[in-house]
Amino acid sequence: LDDPDPRRLEPRLGSAADLESLLTALHARGMMLVLDMVVNHAGRGARLVTTHPDWFHPEQGCGALGPADVYCPLSGLPDFALERAEVARYMDELSLHWVSSFAIDGIRMDTVKHVPLEYFRDHFVPTVLGARPGLYLLGEIYDEGSYDLQLRYRGAGFHGFFDFPLRRAIIDSIAHAGSLNAVADRVKEAVNRLGIEGALLRSTFIDNHDVPRFLTELPAGLDAAERQRRMALALATLLTSPGIPQ
């Protein structure tokens, strides 16, 4: 993030005209573009950290401000103090720029549980949906334990979330050859707690960049045929469970 103009595209990725052309080509094919976005933190070395150091939570003593997940830097990344009006306004203006300048179809929001729920509810969601009502808002909540956080942040306006609980059940049941009841229980829990509409809007997956890949979860010593069989079963489970497979 730069200051005063953080809205320009990274030149190495192309120009605004290039992005417009991509969107036009995607939409002509019935495809959609989901923009990856983060409001929780800036990158290491971001110029904004130097020009506005007071916009970020301190590393020392951050736990005294509130829950560490929200108020302490994640992996040492500069953590925005979104409870401050000027910081919230800055992020709102950035988000509004992207959704009003380009006909994107959705937003994948990073590190949702590290952001105050009130920021999403009172700022981000009404800002982006006000400018582009049809946006699909997908949140990343890295929590394998339950759907409690998904329910909380869904109340802030998100439509779906990455289903880390189901992914854990698929690993335990299929990669580790446990009982498939774990998968069935998670699917049932998602439908019961989120409702069928919420269950259908969540993003299901067997691995991604934040966790070990499925094949590396398999026990050592399995032959190639058994590795392939378990991979196929995991993908079949993914493709036949409620949700949007990633």
Side-chain angles (χ1 to χ4, degrees):
L1 292 172
D2 206 345
D3 186 27
D5 185 14
R7 295 167 296 183
R8 67 186 181 92
L9 272 73
E10 165 57 58
R12 290 174 296 179
L13 300 180
S15 65
D18 293 328
L19 180 53
E20 291 281 9
S21 296
L22 174 62
L23 281 161
T24 299
L26 287 171
H27 292 160
R29 290 163 175 78
M31 300 171 70
M32 297 183 180
L33 187 143
V34 177
L35 187 68
D36 194 13
M37 191 175 285
V38 58
V39 298
N40 176 66
H41 54 265
R44 297 182 182 89
R47 185 178 170 194
L48 196 67
V49 180
T50 302
T51 56
H52 290 286
D54 55 320
W55 284 14
F56 298 88
H57 292 134
E59 289 200 54
Q60 302 299 320
C62 54
L65 301 173
D69 264 356
V70 174
Y71 290 95
C72 291
L74 174 66
S75 300
L77 292 161
D79 196 72
F80 277 112
L82 288 163
E83 69 276 10
R84 298 187 56 163
E86 64 271 33
V87 181
R89 183 166 55 251
Y90 175 84
M91 297 308 299
D92 290 349
E93 290 173 355
L94 273 184
S95 302
L96 180 61
H97 163 73
W98 291 108
V99 300
S100 58
S101 299
F102 302 100
I104 63 173
D105 304 288
I107 292 173
R108 179 262 187 197
M109 178 56 67
D110 189 58
T111 55
V112 164
K113 72 176 184 179
H114 300 284
V115 176
L117 182 148
E118 295 78 13
Y119 172 74
F120 287 129
R121 183 192 64 205
D122 301 335
H123 291 271
F124 175 78
V125 172
T127 294
V128 298
L129 291 185
R132 194 168 292 281
L135 276 176
Y136 167 58
L137 302 181
L138 175 67
E140 185 231 10
I141 296 181
Y142 192 160
D143 187 332
E144 297 182 335
S146 75
Y147 294 102
D148 291 347
L149 280 175
Q150 291 192 25
L151 282 166
R152 286 189 64 221
Y153 281 90
R154 187 180 178 199
F158 281 91
H159 301 115
F161 300 90
F162 289 98
D163 199 332
F164 280 90
L166 178 61
R167 183 257 170 191
R168 170 46 54 192
I170 291 174
I171 296 302
D172 293 342
S173 298
I174 299 174
H176 299 165
S179 170
L180 280 173
N181 286 342
V183 171
D185 289 345
R186 281 305 193 193
V187 171
K188 181 179 178 181
E189 182 185 1
V191 173
N192 287 344
R193 299 200 67 193
L194 304 175
I196 187 60
E197 181 179 349
L200 289 169
L201 287 175
R202 76 202 203 285
S203 184
T204 54
F205 65 105
I206 60 173
D207 58 29
N208 70 11
H209 62 289
D210 284 322
V211 296
R213 296 298 178 180
F214 180 84
L215 288 174
T216 68
E217 293 275 12
L218 299 179
L222 295 180
D223 61 29
E226 179 61 14
R227 290 169 61 83
Q228 183 175 355
R229 189 184 75 84
R230 294 194 192 185
M231 182 70 173
L233 183 57
L235 290 172
T237 302
L238 180 70
L239 295 170
T240 55
S241 298
I244 304 169
Q246 177 199 324

